[in-house]
Amino acid sequence: MSLIPYDHTTAAAYRTAREVPREGLVWWRAAVEPYVRGSELVVDVGAGTGAFATAFAEWFDVRVTAVDPSPAMRALIPAHPLVDVVAGTAESLPLADDAADAAWISTAIHHVTDLDAAARELRRVLCLGAPVLIRSVFPGRHEGVRLFRYFPEATRELSAFPTVERVCAAFADAGFERVLSLGLVPQQTAPSLRVAAERIRREADTVLRGLSDEEFAEGMNRMWASVAAEDHPAPVVDHLDLLVLC
Ligand SMILES: C[S@@+](CC[C@H](N)C(=O)[O-])C[C@H]1O[C@@H](n2cnc3c(N)ncnc32)[C@H](O)[C@@H]1O
C-alpha cells in the first residue's frame, strides 16, 4: 500500500482535498453523539489536521486529546481550549491507564501497522465499557464512496486496508468483545461534483497514490466528463462506515 508520508506538502494537500467541511458532517454528528456526549475525555487517534477533534469539542463540549505521529498534520490542528494536541501513535498512546471514556479513529485504522498492539493500547487507556468509534472505508464496503466510480482501480489499494472482521478480531482479543453498531453514515463531501474534482489532490489520498499516471488521468477525465454532463449540479454525498466496539 502506498501510504502517505504526511509531510508539510501532503498535510496542506490533505486539508484541501480530504477534510469534509463541517456543514457536511451533520449525519456524523448525529451518529457519534450517543457515544461521545457526556464524556470527560475523548482520545482522537490519528487526529490528522484536527477536523473531528475540534468538531467534537464544539458539538459536545468535551475535552479531546488529539494524537498523531505527524508533526506537519498536528501543526494544522486549530488551537482550541478543549483540545490537547500530542505526538503519538495508536500503538503507543501518550495517556495514562483508564484516562479516556471514548476513542475516535477516523480514516486512520489502515495506517496502523500493528493492529493488535493498537487494540491492546486502547484497552489500556480507555475506562471499562468505553466505546471505540472507527470511521473507515472497509474492503468490500466501498460502494458508497463516489470516488471509486471514477477511479475503479483505486479499489486495489483498499484490499490492503483491514477488514471489519480483522478489526473486530483484534479488538476482541484485546477485550472489546461487543460490536455495538456497524453501518454506513452519509456525509456531504463537497457541495458539487465540480468542487470535488477541483479539490482532488492525488498525493493526499492513499487509494489514489497507488494508481498509475494513466489510471489517474483517465479517472480525472471521467470525473470532468460527469461534471460537464450535469444539468443541475448536486452535492456529492458519500457513505463511510462507523464501527463501534466496546
Ligand atoms: C487520513 S488521515 C486522517 C486524519 C483525521 N483522523 C481525519 O479523519 O481527518 C490519517 C492520519 O493517521 C495518522 N497516522 C499514521 N500512522 C498512525 C499510527 N500508527 N497511529 C495513529 N495515527 C497514525 C497520519 O499521520 C494521519 O494524520
Side-chain angles (χ1 to χ4, degrees):
M1 185 168 33
S2 174
L3 283 176
I4 304 172
Y6 289 117
D7 54 15
H8 286 287
T9 308
T10 46
Y14 183 88
R15 164 142 293 166
T16 306
R18 303 278 312 282
E19 264 193 21
V20 179
R22 181 75 64 83
E23 62 274 14
L25 291 174
V26 285
W27 293 288
W28 279 98
R29 177 180 178 159
V32 302
E33 181 160 10
Y35 304 105
V36 172
R37 186 176 284 287
S39 297
E40 287 281 314
L41 180 70
V42 178
V43 56
D44 183 352
V45 180
T49 52
F52 284 99
T54 48
F56 282 15
E58 285 167 20
W59 289 338
F60 310 128
D61 199 28
V62 293
R63 275 178 54 228
V64 181
T65 296
V67 180
D68 200 282
S70 158
M73 295 294 267
R74 292 197 309 273
L76 294 184
I77 298 180
H80 190 286
L82 288 175
V83 179
D84 291 319
V85 180
V86 287
T89 62
E91 298 92 330
S92 178
L93 292 167
L95 288 170
D97 295 359
D98 304 323
D101 34 15
W104 171 249
I105 311 174
S106 165
T107 59
I109 199 80
H110 59 284
H111 286 283
V112 173
T113 36
D114 189 340
L115 199 53
D116 301 292
R120 286 193 299 273
E121 186 64 343
L122 278 158
R123 182 61 285 156
R124 180 186 71 75
V125 305
L126 288 175
C127 307
L128 206 59
V132 179
L133 290 81
I134 302 173
R135 172 176 176 266
S136 185
V137 180
F138 290 107
R141 297 176 61 93
H142 62 278
E143 301 286 339
V145 177
R146 189 140 161 201
L147 194 73
F148 292 109
R149 282 194 225 162
Y150 306 113
F151 301 94
E153 300 88 355
T155 52
R156 245 186 351 243
E157 293 296 302
L158 263 191
S159 61
F161 283 32
T163 59
V164 169
E165 294 73 22
R166 170 74 183 104
V167 172
C168 288
F171 278 79
D173 283 350
F176 298 93
E177 284 162 9
R178 292 177 57 211
V179 177
L180 296 184
S181 116
L182 170 65
L184 293 165
V185 178
Q187 63 188 39
Q188 185 179 305
T189 304
S192 68
L193 190 57
R194 175 179 295 281
V195 172
E198 286 168 351
R199 274 196 202 145
I200 285 196
R201 299 288 183 279
R202 186 183 178 184
E203 66 276 23
D205 196 322
T206 306
V207 298
L208 297 181
R209 288 171 71 90
L211 300 179
S212 67
D213 291 346
E214 201 175 37
E215 289 167 341
F216 181 70
E218 281 170 4
M220 286 308 304
N221 287 342
R222 278 190 284 269
M223 208 168 174
W224 284 118
S226 290
V227 171
E230 268 194 334
D231 288 337
H232 304 287
V236 176
V237 175
D238 289 316
H239 295 73
L240 272 71
D241 265 319
L242 175 63
L243 171 64
V244 186
L245 306 164
C246 86

